[in-house]
Amino acid sequence: MVFESLSEKLQNALSKLRGKGKLSEKDVDMAMREVRLALLEADVNFKVVKDFVKNVKERAIGSEVMESLTPGQQVIKIVNEELTKLMGEKEAKINFSPSPPTVILMCGLQGAGKTTTSGKLAFNLKKQNKRPLLVACDIYRPAAIKQLEVVGEKVDVPVFTMGNKVNPVDIAKAALEHGKKHGNDVIIIDTAGRLHIDEELMEEIENIHSAVNPQEVLLVLDAMTGQDAVNVAEAFNERLGITGVILTKLDGDARGGAALSLRAVTQKPIKFVGMGEKLDQLEPFHPDRMASRILGMGDVLSLIEKAQANIDAKKALELEKKIRTQQFTFDDFLDQLEQMKSLGPLDQILGMLPGINSKALKGLDVSEKDIIKIQAIIQSMTKKERENPDIIDSSRRKRIARGSGTTVQDVNKLLKQFKETKKMMKKFTDMEKTLKKRGKFGFPFF
Amino acid sequence: MFKWFKKKDKKKDEIFDKEELIEEKDEAETQEVEDDEIDENINVESTVNELEEGKEEVEDKAPKKISLFEKLMGGLTKTRKDISSKIDNILKSYKKVDEELFDDLEEVLVTADVGVNTTMTLIDNLRERVKEEKVSEPKEVKELLKDEIKKLMTEENMDYKLNIEPSPAIILVVGVNGVGKTTTIGKLAYRLKREGKKVLIAAGDTFRAAAIEQLEEWGNRAGVDVISHSEGADPAAVIFDGIQAAKARKVDVLICDTAGRLHNKSNLMNELNKIFRITEREFNEATKEVLLVLDATTGQNAMNQAKVFNEVANITGIALTKLDGTAKGGVIIALQSELKIPVKLVGVGEGIEDLQPFIVEDFVKAIID
Ligand SMILES: Nc1nc2c(ncn2[C@@H]2O[C@H](COP(=O)(O)OP(=O)(O)OP(=O)(O)O)[C@@H](O)[C@H]2O)c(=O)[nH]1
Ligand SMILES: [Mg+2]
């Protein structure tokens, strides 16, 4: 299989040289070939792969390679970040109507798992102290109504049925009335599975939609779906304006590229994932997990993580020494800034650091802009000044401010901050020492 | 024109199938709804009447006969039109056979779920053929590609017929959740019965809610008895009883439904293995067919499914369902070529007659023409 040897190929095909400056087009091209194959093997739609690869390539070329990563790994790191971004937010919530009942319309192909998922959703909402009502609108598949009734009984949620001789549109309408009368605040409508090209049945579900005006239209999609996922998602979205997706059977071993395909064509959030046949096995969707699952380069990714941890540990060790001996300079400071910038959003990174507790972070308000400013100021210092900030007198301050396009106040502020940071760092390290540190020391920053 | 007719015909047929859904026992459920709610809606009533009339018709006559071939063509038309115009457009836009043409063909194959590896193999072979045979007309490439696919898929003496001769025979139907096992069993029971066989069904899915009722309804439609226990019973025991009944009643074919299970769940696969072994042990004299049902909408995971199910239950044939959608089921090419398990049946709809024998020729045509 392609992806089994993928990481190996990556290691071989690409230069083993670590951290060699910026990513060249050749580096990126080579790594992207493997990425493309991986995504296709994961069933991401061909066109979606093409667009994705093109976009990420543009972003990757010219970006800095982290020390201790190979260029190939660096590309994968970027790919994984972009993929995670594309998977959307962690958004496991149902939007409730301001004037209950909230109507949820379930839709999808045959065999996707709508009925089971309806039951799971009802169970989930019940736990949130809602009073859901399940509605049986699948009048076609034999025993579909019975199935929903059994499911409803298991989760102790009432099921509204009118048998299979009544038009589903009328069933849905009657259910809404019934729900209002009986104090149900969420109405979950289970519908028959239908092909997105079945004109008659697509029209039927459109009619259900306009009859009950649902707050949520959830497309239920099998995680094993292949290239066709784009057609399915596009058609249902066009006809019904879906508000979200539930990806089922994710407890299988499918790579689940369909998730990316449908995100690409609908931009709608994946709200939940089905993780088993039991009715409590509905879980929130994790964009990052989904991304690395689709990419299927778990080993490369963990390698990158390790590399990242290594470089952090190494630098941290050096820093620690410097701090203890009070040799921490503006150059180190700048270095840290660079490192942090390449890692992603600042507050997130800071939050992850072991040495820093989140309380201390609260008062800290650092934006990317601040960092750029700080960098500019430091870069306007001479080598001597960076190593020995004590020599920076008022005329030097003026010069630095002018050179960095900032004000003397800015420079003053930074100098003061730097001094305090140094002090604080010393305290941190001393503290850690007495606490018999676990060998881990993150960025002792700010 | 002709196509239009056929399409209409298919629609009618679908409605026809739905009419069959009406069953007496549902009346009880309908009555639960307050009367005025239904009375208010004249439309509903008239629909019900119409449907009931339809039902009588169904019971009176033997179902309308639509030739199997017609049905297959009907079912695959959408698929075909879609991909055909694509390939033909590609071919038209090329004056000569070059790399870009191969790239485009690659796209067509991958988009049909053929998979990257298989696509690359096919295109490589094609490229070689083109060179060897000095093909310069883009149009000819299409025929060559078809040929290459066929070559990859077919083995000498691969048997596409169900293993059900001589009687008695047992067909064990397995697959992941929701692929169409129960529906396929309904269709198959119907077809075998029409061929004059004595058929019996065993309801081995004791897990999923209302799976037994679903199968029983299919038994009704096909006019075939269903051996069942209650929900939650041991599936192996149901199969055991089915076998005993099949022997006692001297049936020709016993078809066993099983619960849908994901192939990576070892406990469920062990359970299946137990069922499989019971069929071996208790019905040793029977001709055996272990049918894996695959959903044509499934992508590359179908390969994993086939491999694992094959390990656990010695798959002898595949039923490929839902080919009436836009999915092409291209993963079958690799599957049949690597695992040497023939596709024996294709599902082209939800109606009782929407089951067809698999014909490689037609499948390849459906992908390329
Ligand atoms: N369009 C279409 N739908 C099909 C086909 N075969 C089955 N279905 C539908 O797919 C859905 C699932 O079919 P089932 O027969 O219940 O599948 P199963 O494998 O028995 O499902 P579980 O027992 O729940 O695992 C039903 O709505 C069927 O009507 C087909 O060939 N075409
Ligand atoms: Mg079933």
Side-chain angles (χ1 to χ4, degrees):
Chain A
M1 241 177 246
V2 171
F3 41 86
E4 271 167 1
S5 57
L6 205 62
S7 43
E8 216 173 292
K9 265 198 267 170
L10 259 175
Q11 314 294 336
N12 297 335
L14 300 165
S15 152
K16 282 229 156 98
L17 290 177
R18 288 166 194 279
K20 53 157 203 180
K22 293 183 181 351
L23 283 175
S24 73
E25 186 159 359
K26 198 173 134 238
D27 292 330
V28 176
D29 272 345
M30 275 159 94
M32 275 308 181
R33 196 190 118 79
E34 303 303 326
V35 168
R36 186 170 160 266
L37 290 179
L39 295 180
L40 288 174
E41 280 296 325
D43 292 321
V44 180
N45 179 269
F46 190 91
K47 285 215 176 60
V48 176
V49 172
K50 232 169 146 175
D51 290 347
F52 176 78
V53 165
K54 190 169 154 267
N55 292 340
V56 176
K57 218 173 113 175
E58 274 162 21
R59 198 206 121 176
I61 293 176
S63 67
E64 207 72 39
V65 181
M66 269 177 74
E67 191 187 335
S68 90
L69 285 191
T70 67
Q73 290 166 342
Q74 181 72 34
V75 176
I76 301 303
K77 181 170 134 58
I78 294 173
V79 167
N80 193 46
E81 281 164 12
E82 291 297 305
L83 214 49
T84 307
K85 242 193 259 165
L86 270 177
M87 295 315 321
E89 301 293 309
K90 194 173 155 186
E91 204 165 335
K93 57 177 192 289
I94 295 294
N95 291 314
F96 296 109
S97 166
S99 53
T102 298
V103 179
I104 303 175
L105 182 62
M106 310 290 282
C107 63
L109 296 180
Q110 291 97 339
K114 288 172 296 302
T115 307
T116 309
T117 307
S118 298
K120 288 177 177 178
L121 201 54
F123 181 66
N124 182 293
L125 291 169
K126 224 187 129 198
K127 277 192 301 190
Q128 299 176 41
N129 293 320
K130 296 280 174 194
R131 298 194 57 211
L133 174 70
L134 285 161
V135 183
C137 275
D138 181 356
I139 62 167
Y140 306 109
R141 212 205 66 197
I145 297 172
K146 182 74 200 291
Q147 185 187 353
L148 191 67
E149 282 174 336
V150 174
V151 163
E153 199 179 316
K154 277 186 190 155
V155 296
D156 193 23
V157 166
V159 178
F160 183 87
T161 74
M162 290 173 84
N164 58 11
K165 291 171 201 164
V166 179
N167 182 324
V169 181
D170 295 318
I171 299 175
K173 274 193 225 162
L176 191 55
E177 286 316 307
H178 177 97
K180 280 180 188 162
K181 241 186 268 170
H182 291 80
N184 298 108
D185 47 10
V186 187
I187 316 268
I188 303 170
I189 303 179
D190 182 26
T191 62
R194 63 201 72 220
L195 287 173
H196 53 293
I197 51 166
D198 188 328
E199 195 42 48
E200 219 174 304
L201 286 182
M202 288 306 277
E203 230 171 271
E204 179 201 90
I205 200 164
E206 268 179 334
N207 291 337
I208 296 178
H209 185 280
S210 47
V212 298
N213 192 23
Q215 188 80 12
E216 291 270 11
V217 181
L218 300 178
L219 174 67
V220 180
L221 195 92
D222 189 325
M224 299 182 266
T225 311
Q227 296 285 317
D228 208 32
V230 287
N231 301 327
V232 176
E234 210 161 37
F236 276 97
N237 194 31
E238 237 165 55
R239 304 289 291 253
L240 301 173
I242 62 168
T243 59
V245 178
I246 299 182
L247 209 57
T248 61
K249 306 177 201 173
L250 213 63
D251 49 328
D253 62 359
R255 297 263 300 279
L260 182 61
S261 299
L262 66 87
R263 282 282 309 163
V265 297
T266 69
Q267 319 273 319
K268 298 292 160 56
I270 298 171
K271 299 208 168 191
F272 295 97
V273 296
M275 289 300 287
E277 295 186 75
K278 297 208 191 74
L279 295 168
D280 58 355
Q281 291 174 319
L282 186 71
E283 293 181 10
F285 170 71
H286 295 282
D288 49 341
R289 281 185 217 167
M290 196 67 222
S292 44
R293 178 172 178 152
I294 292 174
L295 195 55
M297 296 182 176
D299 40 356
V300 182
L301 291 175
S302 60
L303 224 143
I304 290 171
E305 247 168 57
K306 234 192 272 161
Q308 211 156 279
N310 278 344
I311 157 175
D312 298 351
K314 202 176 106 204
K315 287 222 165 173
L317 218 71
E318 278 170 22
L319 274 170
E320 200 188 335
K321 221 171 98 198
K322 283 186 175 172
I323 293 160
R324 239 182 288 126
T325 51
Q326 291 283 319
Q327 277 173 350
F328 187 67
T329 68
F330 264 117
D331 273 323
D332 299 317
F333 198 83
L334 196 61
D335 213 42
Q336 291 248 296
L337 282 176
E338 293 285 354
Q339 243 192 70
M340 295 193 52
K341 254 181 44 188
S342 71
L343 285 178
L346 203 61
D347 44 346
Q348 258 178 45
I349 303 292
L350 287 172
M352 284 178 340
L353 299 180
I356 291 179
N357 75 19
S358 49
K359 243 192 253 150
L361 275 175
K362 280 258 167 63
L364 200 82
D365 190 19
V366 266
S367 68
E368 305 275 333
K369 254 212 248 125
D370 290 335
I371 293 212
I372 292 172
K373 208 191 246 174
I374 293 171
Q375 274 179 320
I377 295 174
I378 300 176
Q379 271 153 1
S380 296
M381 295 177 189
T382 64
K383 202 168 181 313
K384 258 200 192 139
E385 287 165 349
R386 291 187 208 183
E387 276 163 11
N388 188 7
D390 290 338
I391 63 168
I392 305 180
D393 56 15
S394 72
S395 74
R396 282 177 193 262
R397 285 175 204 208
K398 265 187 216 145
R399 196 206 74 241
I400 292 170
R402 233 183 298 123
S404 58
T406 57
T407 62
V408 177
Q409 279 88 342
D410 287 329
V411 179
N412 283 341
K413 202 170 131 201
L414 177 64
L415 287 171
K416 200 169 149 224
Q417 225 175 14
F418 181 72
K419 222 176 180 167
E420 268 164 22
T421 304
K422 251 170 107 168
K423 245 192 271 166
M424 204 166 84
M425 282 171 149
K426 177 99 173 43
K427 243 192 266 164
F428 260 133
T429 34
D430 291 349
M431 214 159 67
E432 285 235 344
K433 251 195 302 190
T434 48
L435 286 174
K436 284 220 183 77
K437 58 175 195 268
R438 307 178 300 244
K440 245 200 208 161
F441 187 61
F443 301 88
F445 197 61
F446 282 111
Chain B
M1 279 273 276
F2 191 51
K3 258 181 202 152
W4 266 111
F5 267 107
K6 242 193 262 164
K7 210 173 169 198
K8 276 230 171 94
D9 235 31
K10 184 160 189 277
K11 276 263 160 75
K12 221 159 94 200
D13 198 53
E14 272 168 17
I15 294 163
F16 178 81
D17 293 329
K18 274 159 202 166
E19 284 162 6
E20 292 182 328
L21 274 163
I22 310 296
E23 36 173 351
E24 238 68 59
K25 65 178 177 196
D26 277 319
E27 254 163 40
E29 285 174 49
T30 321
Q31 273 161 10
E32 278 175 24
V33 182
E34 288 151 60
D35 279 342
D36 55 5
E37 267 176 343
I38 290 191
D39 282 341
E40 257 170 34
N41 201 326
I42 299 154
N43 256 342
V44 173
E45 284 223 307
S46 64
T47 318
V48 171
N49 284 338
E50 265 168 46
L51 289 174
E52 295 227 286
E53 269 163 41
K55 187 195 177 194
E56 272 155 36
E57 251 178 61
V58 175
E59 280 171 351
D60 284 345
K61 290 182 242 156
K64 271 180 288 187
K65 274 199 183 164
I66 292 177
S67 93
L68 293 187
F69 183 69
E70 230 176 24
K71 195 74 199 190
L72 177 64
M73 295 317 278
L76 295 180
T77 314
K78 291 169 227 150
T79 321
R80 234 183 52 245
K81 227 174 35 206
D82 206 50
I83 228 183
S84 121
S85 49
K86 213 165 165 189
I87 287 220
D88 283 339
N89 282 343
I90 288 171
L91 294 173
K92 245 187 275 159
S93 67
Y94 283 98
K95 299 240 155 41
K96 58 180 194 329
V97 181
D98 57 14
E99 270 312 300
E100 255 178 84
L101 171 61
F102 289 122
D103 281 354
D104 280 345
L105 291 175
E106 211 174 89
E107 171 172 351
V108 171
L109 292 175
V110 170
T111 309
D113 285 320
V114 172
V116 191
N117 279 342
T118 314
T119 297
M120 289 198 288
T121 309
L122 283 170
I123 297 291
D124 282 350
N125 294 351
L126 183 66
R127 202 181 275 123
E128 219 157 277
R129 277 279 289 279
V130 164
K131 214 165 106 192
E132 252 167 43
E133 296 172 26
K134 300 200 167 54
V135 177
S136 56
E137 273 296 305
K139 256 191 300 186
E140 287 170 54
V141 176
K142 180 164 121 181
E143 289 310 310
L144 285 186
L145 179 56
K146 261 200 247 177
D147 198 49
E148 284 304 320
I149 297 177
K150 258 185 273 172
K151 259 198 342 215
L152 198 64
M153 282 179 86
T154 46
E155 276 283 295
E156 249 179 275
N157 57 45
M158 198 179 250
D159 195 357
Y160 295 92
K161 281 223 283 297
L162 285 174
N163 293 334
I164 49 170
E165 305 286 355
S167 308
I170 180 167
I171 305 179
L172 186 63
V173 180
V174 302
V176 300
N177 312 75
V179 286
K181 292 176 292 300
T182 308
T183 310
T184 302
I185 289 170
K187 297 173 185 173
L188 186 58
Y190 172 78
R191 206 183 84 184
L192 294 176
K193 201 188 166 198
R194 269 219 319 205
E195 285 172 10
K197 296 215 153 43
K198 192 164 187 220
V199 184
L200 184 68
I201 297 175
D205 182 357
T206 55
F207 180 80
R208 210 208 63 198
I212 299 167
E213 286 85 346
Q214 183 189 0
L215 189 62
E216 273 168 353
E217 172 53 22
W218 276 110
N220 279 343
R221 291 181 189 183
V224 168
D225 281 350
V226 177
I227 302 290
S228 66
H229 291 186
S230 52
E231 201 179 307
D234 177 9
V238 183
I239 303 299
F240 182 89
D241 279 3
I243 291 171
Q244 303 315 317
K247 284 179 182 168
R249 300 183 196 183
K250 300 202 162 32
V251 305
D252 297 309
V253 186
L254 170 68
I255 313 179
C256 306
D257 195 9
T258 61
R261 67 197 75 223
L262 292 176
H263 51 287
N264 60 337
K265 310 228 154 158
S266 55
N267 55 335
L268 296 180
M269 293 312 276
N270 287 341
E271 179 194 87
L272 183 67
N273 182 254
K274 187 175 150 202
I275 293 172
F276 174 72
R277 280 186 286 124
I278 281 178
T279 64
E280 300 259 281
R281 195 182 69 210
E282 297 297 323
F283 214 177
N284 195 29
E285 66 272 33
T287 310
K288 279 180 203 67
E289 174 74 54
V290 183
L291 209 52
L292 172 70
V293 183
L294 293 176
D295 183 335
T297 325
T298 306
Q300 300 309 304
N301 193 247
M303 201 71 184
N304 294 10
Q305 292 171 26
K307 279 182 187 155
V308 181
F309 272 99
N310 192 32
E311 272 165 30
V312 173
N314 272 337
I315 305 301
T316 55
I318 285 163
L320 185 63
T321 62
K322 308 187 195 174
L323 269 180
D324 47 328
T326 47
K328 319 286 195 283
V331 64
I332 283 299
I333 298 173
L335 209 151
Q336 198 166 295
S337 105
E338 274 179 45
L339 302 182
K340 318 277 182 234
I341 304 172
V343 179
K344 296 187 171 175
L345 298 166
V346 298
V348 291
E350 297 184 85
I352 201 160
E353 294 195 29
D354 294 334
L355 187 71
Q356 304 299 331
F358 178 77
I359 297 157
V360 183
E361 229 73 16
D362 291 345
F363 174 78
V364 175
K365 247 195 204 156
I367 288 198
I368 300 296
D369 258 348

